[in-house]
Amino acid sequence: ALGTLAAIGLFPKFSIWHAALLGAIVAPTDASLAHPVVTNKVVPVRIRQTISVESGLNDGLCVPLILLFLCGTRITGHNADPSYWFQFAVLQVTLGPAVGVLVGYLGSRLLNISIERKWTDSTFVNLASLGLAGAAYGVAELVGGNGFIATFSCGLAMSHFAPSVCKKIYEFGEAEGQLLTLMTFLVVGALIAPLVIAEATIPVVLFAVLSLSLLRMIPVVISLLGTGLHVSTLLFVGWFGPRGTASVVFALILLQDSSIPHGQDIFLIAMTTVLISLFAHGLSAVPAAHWYGNRIQPTESTTYIPERAPINELPFCCREAVNSGKIPKG
């Protein structure tokens, strides 16, 4: 909502739908840029998991909003029939999860049977996870649903119906995910950075900076009111909302449809935000984590620190899972 208001103020030519679309595209965070934070033992477990879980969920949660706002821009830009685009949005956000859960369930059952009967080995189980993700995306798009929501739902379904399979693909998923993320950032740097440097204006840069700072920090502070967390925690969590692959993917989806008015402008603003975030969050991750960890160290006069309250730690990566005993070695 704050991103929408800022976009309306800085870009008067945007309609409410365009402003809302821009706000939704730059809202999701990406924990890969905060990897030195979410894996740094200096930072309390509760805070690391807060940043990590938020990053894992908000890209999937933003997809329905982005679809809704895309439909709104089509209606205002082409005098299209609102009922058609309403039906389109409903199908996207209903068929997508349905297909994802179905593919995840059936794929999990087949994988479990194959493993039990020794029809496959660990290498092909790992590859099957990519195959199921691709199948969920393709089937959803074929029947009129949203492929990204389907893939997101497929992963959730697999974690529920086949937890043993998920344990086998943790390590592969970690390496594969990091590889694809780095490839994405390589493309951003090689192809999009020159465009941003050449075309970005003062309002564009200002929106990007506001999106990464106040427009992120204010909602974080509001959402954590009443938790008793230290001010430094509010600032730390508020700052580490880096923008990365989710914003890039959403912006590219927008760019594919040349008929949407101001689509290229929104793409430029979103990519400027991602590019600034790459440097700002990448360079500040390690020093900010040590600063924050030192700020909330318990002292002799401290009886209770909410940030360090006991919590069941979820492993961020396969190495942590093995070391903690949650996944057996070998």
Side-chain angles (χ1 to χ4, degrees):
L2 290 180
T4 302
L5 293 176
I8 292 175
L10 289 171
F11 311 106
K13 61 184 179 181
F14 284 3
S15 69
I16 182 66
W17 292 109
H18 294 94
L21 180 60
L22 174 58
I25 288 176
V26 299
T29 58
D30 187 348
S32 61
L33 290 177
H35 193 275
V37 172
V38 296
T39 58
N40 195 328
K41 301 299 182 181
V42 176
V43 180
V45 175
R46 295 186 71 189
I47 307 306
R48 286 190 278 126
Q49 290 193 174
T50 296
I51 296 173
S52 179
V53 172
E54 178 198 6
S55 172
L57 289 177
N58 57 18
D59 50 352
L61 296 175
C62 277
V63 171
L65 291 176
I66 290 174
L67 292 174
L68 175 64
F69 300 150
L70 273 172
C71 292
T73 59
R74 287 176 174 272
I75 294 172
T76 57
H78 301 89
N79 296 320
D81 181 11
S83 62
Y84 168 79
W85 290 111
F86 176 77
Q87 180 183 6
F88 171 80
V90 170
L91 290 176
Q92 288 272 299
V93 300
T94 55
L95 291 179
V99 168
V101 172
L102 180 62
V103 172
Y105 170 74
L106 294 177
S108 299
R109 291 293 302 272
L110 291 173
L111 281 174
N112 281 328
I113 293 173
S114 299
I115 293 171
E116 291 172 0
R117 300 186 180 184
K118 300 186 184 303
W119 290 349
T120 186
D121 58 21
S122 59
T123 299
F124 286 95
V125 171
N126 293 340
L127 295 176
S129 63
L130 289 177
L132 289 176
Y137 184 94
V139 174
E141 293 289 332
L142 189 64
V143 300
N146 183 268
F148 291 101
I149 300 179
T151 306
F152 189 80
S153 302
C154 179
L156 293 177
M158 285 188 64
S159 68
H160 177 73
F161 294 117
S164 60
V165 173
C166 291
K167 291 179 181 180
K168 295 178 184 297
I169 64 176
Y170 275 155
E171 186 172 3
F172 173 78
E174 178 191 358
E176 176 264 346
Q178 291 295 338
L179 173 62
L180 295 179
T181 298
L182 292 174
M183 290 175 62
T184 301
F185 291 150
L186 174 64
V187 173
V188 170
L191 301 180
I192 299 177
L195 171 67
V196 170
I197 295 173
E199 301 292 337
T201 61
I202 292 178
V204 170
V205 175
L206 179 59
F207 178 88
V209 172
L210 287 174
S211 177
L212 298 173
S213 55
L214 289 178
L215 302 184
R216 155 80 181 176
M217 291 181 173
I218 292 174
V220 167
V221 171
I222 293 174
S223 69
L224 294 178
L225 287 176
T227 58
L229 298 175
H230 195 272
V231 174
S232 59
T233 301
L234 303 182
L235 295 175
F236 184 75
V237 176
W239 168 243
F240 277 104
R243 311 310 198 273
T245 51
S247 295
V248 172
V249 170
F250 295 151
L252 289 174
I253 293 174
L254 170 66
L255 196 64
Q256 286 180 346
D257 192 343
S258 59
S259 63
I260 296 179
H262 309 303
Q264 292 186 345
D265 295 326
I266 296 175
F267 177 81
L268 174 65
I269 299 167
M271 292 302 96
T272 303
T273 305
V274 171
L275 189 63
I276 294 176
S277 178
L278 285 173
F279 286 95
H281 291 106
L283 293 173
S284 64
V286 173
H290 287 286
W291 169 84
Y292 172 65
N294 294 330
R295 289 278 296 177
I296 58 169
Q297 285 291 341
T299 61
E300 295 181 359
S301 60
T302 303
T303 57
Y304 174 73
I305 299 178
E307 289 85 348
R308 297 189 179 276
I311 188 174
N312 183 30
E313 183 173 2
L314 301 174
F316 179 77
C317 61
C318 185
R319 290 187 304 275
E320 294 180 1
V322 172
N323 293 336
S324 65
K326 291 183 173 63
I327 298 180
K329 292 185 178 180

